[in-house]
Amino acid sequence: MTSGDHTGIELNLEDKNDWELEQIEIELLLEGIHRFYGYDFRNYALPSLRRRIWHHVHAEGLTTISALQDKVLHERSCFERLVHNLSIPVTEMFRDPNLFLTFRQKVIPLLRTYPYIRIWHAGCSTGEEVYSMAILLHEEGLYDKARIYATDMNSRSLQQAKEGVFDIKRMKQYTKNYLEAGGKQSFSEYYTAKYNSVIFQPFLKKNMIFAEHNLATDRSFNEFNVIFCRNVMIYFNDELRNHVHGLFHESLSHFGILVLGAKESIHFTNFSDSYEALDRTEKIYRKIK
Ligand SMILES: C[S@@+](CC[C@H](N)C(=O)[O-])C[C@H]1O[C@@H](n2cnc3c(N)ncnc32)[C@H](O)[C@@H]1O
């Protein structure tokens, strides 16, 4: 065996050991968080979870995942920063405008026939999706008979959602999205600008209910005509995704509508036969059994 070969074998073994050790450290960190704080990240998809954890190790000025475990378990504020980091609160108003346009065209006519409408935005982040829905329902004359339940596991994002204050710099993009989504008025009528922020009209909030809810650990809490859960389950593994689909199936009324994100699908889940596609491209499904 040449020394080159020998070094090669040693390197491979070292890589294997590093990888095994990293796996153990991640598992211990997630187990500790689950047992101590009750947040369950154990079934999040590993590649993005791993990236986020390492990002957080460095952000906390640490060098190992074990050191992060120590800090997270002994300092609640460090744990809260980690939850915020793992939650990926990226969102925008009328995100994927064509989905909202299709919702107006295909779902609103169904909702008109109901005496009242209950909508759940699961994983609502900082609330942009929820305010978009309130505007849409208002323009369709349905907001007064609607209740919008907006939930997320991230309390910091939820607080922002409740306030309804957004960065003024994003309004140009949101106005474009609103118009593409079939918006019927002037978007600026819905908010008042103040310094670098805008605050949305208080009437939009009147039928919104915000609450902390963790899809991995909390139960169904009502029956809904519509559930939006977009760009949340892409971060879950198959087991957790199926668990959450079970929760949604239990929470939807018969013929209830499920709306997923652009990169998500009901196919390849345990519930694919329970829904028909109302619009396959926009990921709008209707519960049929
Ligand atoms: C990328 S944002 C999606 C926001 C919005 N639905 C959209 O599509 O623009 C993902 C959100 O899912 C939330 N989330 C992740 N895991 C969750 C869980 N187990 N329970 C509840 N919310 C969760 C995060 O906190 C984050 O706010």
Side-chain angles (χ1 to χ4, degrees):
M1 187 183 286
T2 66
S3 62
D5 287 336
H6 181 67
T7 313
I9 290 165
E10 270 184 358
L11 264 181
N12 283 340
L13 273 178
E14 258 177 43
D15 283 353
K16 184 171 171 287
N17 287 341
D18 286 355
W19 175 237
E20 264 178 28
L21 186 58
E22 188 190 61
Q23 294 263 40
I24 292 168
E25 286 181 291
I26 291 176
E27 277 172 30
L28 291 175
L29 170 70
L30 302 183
E31 185 65 29
I33 288 174
H34 183 231
R35 288 175 60 177
F36 194 62
Y37 293 110
Y39 280 67
D40 194 354
F41 294 104
R42 293 173 303 170
N43 284 313
Y44 278 50
L46 194 59
S48 90
L49 187 67
R50 178 174 176 258
R51 237 183 0 260
R52 300 254 144 201
I53 289 174
W54 273 115
H55 176 264
H56 202 69
V57 167
H58 298 133
E60 295 287 335
L62 305 169
T63 52
T64 64
I65 296 173
S66 296
L68 180 64
Q69 182 191 338
D70 182 53
K71 196 167 177 188
V72 158
L73 292 179
H74 289 96
E75 270 180 47
R76 193 176 173 97
S77 59
C78 176
F79 163 69
E80 284 166 2
R81 288 191 295 276
L82 178 63
V83 169
H84 191 68
N85 190 348
L86 294 182
S87 98
I88 317 176
V90 180
T91 186
E92 60 183 53
M93 286 191 80
F94 296 98
R95 183 179 193 175
D96 305 319
N98 208 44
L99 172 262
F100 283 91
L101 183 64
T102 310
F103 189 88
R104 273 188 203 262
Q105 294 165 343
K106 295 194 174 171
V107 181
I108 290 293
L110 305 174
L111 300 184
R112 274 193 208 294
T113 64
Y114 297 172
Y116 56 84
I117 307 160
R118 272 199 292 263
I119 302 184
W120 179 14
H121 288 267
C124 69
S125 184
T126 39
E128 284 82 340
E129 189 180 80
V130 185
Y131 286 86
S132 308
M133 179 57 76
I135 289 173
L136 193 158
L137 292 172
H138 164 70
E139 293 187 355
E140 298 297 336
L142 295 179
Y143 192 43
D144 283 343
K145 65 171 181 176
R147 288 284 174 285
I148 305 182
Y149 296 78
T151 65
D152 203 284
M153 68 164 181
N154 184 340
S155 56
R156 225 203 285 178
S157 295
L158 265 184
Q159 187 51 38
Q160 245 179 290
K162 276 185 211 166
E163 287 162 11
V165 177
F166 301 110
D167 188 346
I168 201 163
K169 287 202 285 291
R170 306 202 67 184
M171 290 306 126
K172 196 170 163 208
Q173 177 66 41
Y174 292 176
T175 306
K176 184 171 174 287
N177 288 358
Y178 165 77
L179 293 172
E180 285 173 19
K184 293 181 174 171
Q185 296 185 23
S186 162
F187 188 56
S188 59
E189 282 173 25
Y190 291 110
Y191 60 80
T192 311
K194 199 171 178 191
Y195 305 112
N196 296 328
S197 307
V198 305
I199 178 146
F200 274 79
Q201 301 292 356
F203 84 87
L204 291 172
K205 275 198 250 188
K206 72 177 182 207
N207 293 341
M208 291 179 186
I209 296 136
F210 294 95
E212 249 181 86
H213 181 278
N214 193 319
L215 292 164
T217 48
D218 292 333
R219 304 179 65 124
S220 168
F221 59 94
N222 213 327
E223 190 178 280
F224 299 95
N225 307 105
V226 179
I227 297 178
F228 266 60
C229 186
R230 304 170 64 222
N231 310 302
V232 179
M233 286 185 277
I234 35 170
Y235 302 109
F236 297 171
N237 70 12
D238 286 349
E239 186 183 333
L240 182 54
R241 206 173 291 132
N242 275 319
H243 168 78
V244 176
H245 273 296
L247 189 67
F248 291 158
H249 187 258
E250 190 189 331
S251 309
L252 270 176
S253 56
H254 193 52
F255 290 136
I257 303 292
L258 177 65
V259 181
L260 302 177
K263 296 192 194 93
E264 295 161 323
S265 167
I266 194 72
H267 297 301
F268 312 113
T269 73
N270 294 347
F271 293 86
S272 54
D273 292 342
S274 306
Y275 294 87
E276 64 181 9
L278 214 56
D279 191 292
R280 205 173 296 281
T281 316
E282 298 304 331
K283 311 296 164 64
I284 304 178
Y285 303 97
R286 175 157 59 176
K287 177 175 160 182
I288 48 170
K289 61 181 179 190

